């Protein structure tokens, strides 16, 4: 073989894999049919073309039409790596170029497995240009759809969701159900409506293994919709929602969903404003599920050190977990060191990433900004506040249908009324809906507010609060009760400005201390409470003796 032939063969092999023709990253500016003449010849002469890489070049309408003509005969084509194809082109040029390429794929009878159109700023009109393709038999076999940084917006996201839904419907009718595994659509300004529309499509698919939707301006409503959808995709392995806005409601919804995803390996909720309440919910999910998790990113989420410690404690039980990213939160210098030391004691120090961008401890006097981007009149923000030793909050929210005896006590608690209930006390408390964490917390504080250092009163209070908490801790979401309780005690800041701390009485803490010493009080919940009290216990200084007794009991439980 001549040296020239060897050189040509080497060059050909360098730019292709088996079945692949690649022009990746050549920076070619292709404006008309003449400019793609050689490329068209390569495509036409390539036998068994399965993958075509055009990314990193820029195609005008006529150039795209020339490529499309050559593709009409390529029925074996499966992978279209067509990202970053229109740099410098007018936005009006992109839709017709995409339409011609899509039409060629449909004409050829190709059955795609990968379609990558990332980094093409085609907006909603570009999605409409590929809508017909996405609904066609060419996409019944699609496994990966990559549309990162395309500027789709809400409109484009809605069109995309409709197209995927229709493709799924048609593919089922054809006997070849769509089994999309990888979906990537970061930096697209999808917002709540776009994310919610896509969530509906994801629920139908049920086949997703990777979902990447970072930087889309999605807040709790869209996150909640996505959480519901993810739960319908049991084989999900990677979930990346970085740089959206979860807040408490989104975090709780997502925690409930990921708990059921047994194959999930990578979670990226960094820069999602998870906050401490959300972090506790995710820690609970970590404890209850996620057996194969390898990476968890909760960076830049306004999480305090106490909440991070609870997450670390839950992570300790995950044999496969390799990386826990908590950088950029609100620990402070001492908090960072305390977290490192605690994780070293747990023998999981190696999984903790850098804390170099820590934001420092939050200012206790700083006003809470609330849920970013959320409606002030949101139904979920109904008043759950005002609980203290004697304050009546029944007018601030609808009271459940309790018996007259229980209602009489709760409306104006007193030791005499509690004692007068005698043996009925425990039976009456069965009326409390323990799935409502705020309600349980309110009732607990009302009962314990009548505490007196008198044997009969003390016994009545402890029997009642023990019975209430035993029932509350028996349900699967008992973490939500301890969260609500810590908010009322002032140990944890709530996102809801309407939620107020209780006026803490010694009886509140002594009843809690008595319950914490009992077997029904879960050890993990004792650890959560101890973590927050050890770091924020100064807010209970007015009841220092009772506080110290509670701390001692919690320490005994968690170190036993």
């Amino acid at each position: 073989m001549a040296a020239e032939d060897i050189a040509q063969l080497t060059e050909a092999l360098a730019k292709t894999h088996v079945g692949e023709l690649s022009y990746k990253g050549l920076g070619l500016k292709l404006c008309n049919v003449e400019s793609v003449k050689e490329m068209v010849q390569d495509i036409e002469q390539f036998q068994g073309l399965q993958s075509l890489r055009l990314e990193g070049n820029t195609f005008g309408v006529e150039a795209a039409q020339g490529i499309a003509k050559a593709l009409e005969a390529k029925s074996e084509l499966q992978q279209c790596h067509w990202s970053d194809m229109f740099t410098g082109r007018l936005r009006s040029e992109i839709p017709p170029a995409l339409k011609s390429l899509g039409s060629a794929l449909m004409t050829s009878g190709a059955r795609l497995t990968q379609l990558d159109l990332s980094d093409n700023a085609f907006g909603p009109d570009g999605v409409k240009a590929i809508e017909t393709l996405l609904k066609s038999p060419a996409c019944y076999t699609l496994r990966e759809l990559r549309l990162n940084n395309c500027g789709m917006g809400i409109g484009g996201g809605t069109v995309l969701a409709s197209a995927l839904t229709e493709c799924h419907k048609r593919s089922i009718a054809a006997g070849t159900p769509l089994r999309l595994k990888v979906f990537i659509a970061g930096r697209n300004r999808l917002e709540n409506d776009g994310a919610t529309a896509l969530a509906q499509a994801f629920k139908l698919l049920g086949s997703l293994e990777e979902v990447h939707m970072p930087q889309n301006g999605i807040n709790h409503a869209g996150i909640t919709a996505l959480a519901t959808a993810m739960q319908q995709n049991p084989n999900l392995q990677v979930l990346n929602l970085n740089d959206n806005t979860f807040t408490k409601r989104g975090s709780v919804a997502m925690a409930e969903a990921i708990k059921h995803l047994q194959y999930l390996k990578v979670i990226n909720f960094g820069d999602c404003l998870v906050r401490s309440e959300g972090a506790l919910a995710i820690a609970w999910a970590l404890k209850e599920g996620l057996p194969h998790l390898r990476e968890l990113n909760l960076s830049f989420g306004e999480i305090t050190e106490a909440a991070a410690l609870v997450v670390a404690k839950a992570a300790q039980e995950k044999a496969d977990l390799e990386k826990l990213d908590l950088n950029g939160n609100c620990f402070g210098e001492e908090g960072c060191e305390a977290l490192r030391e605690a994780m070293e004691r747990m023998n999981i120090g190696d999984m903790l990433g850098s804390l170099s961008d820590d934001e420092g401890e939050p200012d206790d006097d700083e006003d809470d900004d609330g849920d970013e981007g959320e409606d002030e009149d949101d139904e979920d923000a109904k008043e759950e506040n005002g609980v203290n030793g004697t304050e009546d909050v029944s007018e601030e929210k609808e009271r459940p249908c309790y018996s007259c005896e229980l209602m009489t006590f709760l409306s104006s608690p007193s030791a005499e009324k509690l004692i007068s209930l005698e043996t009925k006390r425990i039976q009456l408390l069965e009326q409390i809906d323990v799935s409502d964490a705020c309600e349980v917390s309110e009732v607990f504080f009302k009962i314990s507010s009548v505490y007196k250092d008198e044997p009969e009163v003390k016994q009545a209070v402890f029997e009642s609060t023990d019975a209430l908490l035993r029932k509350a801790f028996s349900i699967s979401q008992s973490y939500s009760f301890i969260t609500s309780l810590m908010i009322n005690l002032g140990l944890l800041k709530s996102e809801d400005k309407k939620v107020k701390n209780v006026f803490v009485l010694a009886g509140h803490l002594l009843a809690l201390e008595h319950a914490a010493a009992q077997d029904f009080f879960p050890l993990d919940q004792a650890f959560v409470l101890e973590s927050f009290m050890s770091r924020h216990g100064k807010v209970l200084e007015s009841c220092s003796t009772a506080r110290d007794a509670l701390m001692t009991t919690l320490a005994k439980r968690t170190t036993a």
Side-chain angles (χ1 to χ4, degrees), residues 30-36 59-68 89 93 96-97 100:
L30 308 165
C31 299
N32 50 43
V33 175
E34 183 63 26
S35 66
V36 294
F59 292 79
V61 176
E62 292 183 12
Q65 290 171 343
I67 297 296
R89 299 294 172 182
E93 293 182 86
S100 62

Side-chain angles (χ1 to χ4, degrees), residues 36-68:
V36 294
K37 184 177 180 180
E38 292 184 10
M39 194 177 291
V40 167
Q41 290 177 349
D42 288 345
I43 293 172
E44 290 176 341
Q45 294 172 8
F46 198 111
Q47 298 299 312
L49 180 63
Q50 297 179 14
S51 175
L52 179 60
R53 307 194 75 103
L54 300 177
E55 65 265 51
N57 300 286
T58 177
F59 292 79
V61 176
E62 292 183 12
Q65 290 171 343
I67 297 296

Side-chain angles (χ1 to χ4, degrees), residues 2 45 82 92 97 110 147 215 289 334 354 402 412 418 421 526 556:
Q45 294 172 8
W82 296 349
S92 60
L147 297 170
Q215 276 186 283
E334 292 183 3
S354 170
Y402 294 149
S412 181
L418 185 64
L421 294 176
K556 288 180 180 178

Side-chain angles (χ1 to χ4, degrees), residues 236-294:
L236 192 68
Q237 297 181 32
V238 179
L239 181 56
N240 177 8
L241 295 173
N242 187 282
D243 199 7
N244 289 291
T245 305
F246 281 36
T247 59
K248 174 192 172 182
R249 280 173 277 183
S251 299
V252 170
M254 193 57 71
E256 175 61 31
I258 62 177
K259 180 185 71 169
H260 300 285
L261 299 174
Q262 298 300 299
Y263 299 103
L264 199 53
K265 297 178 181 178
V266 178
I267 295 175
N268 187 344
F269 296 160
D271 204 12
C272 284
L273 208 61
V274 167
R275 293 183 174 145
S276 294
E277 282 189 86
L280 292 179
I282 292 170
W284 164 75
L286 193 58
K287 180 181 181 299
E288 295 291 317
L290 301 168
H292 302 295
L293 191 66
R294 294 179 182 174

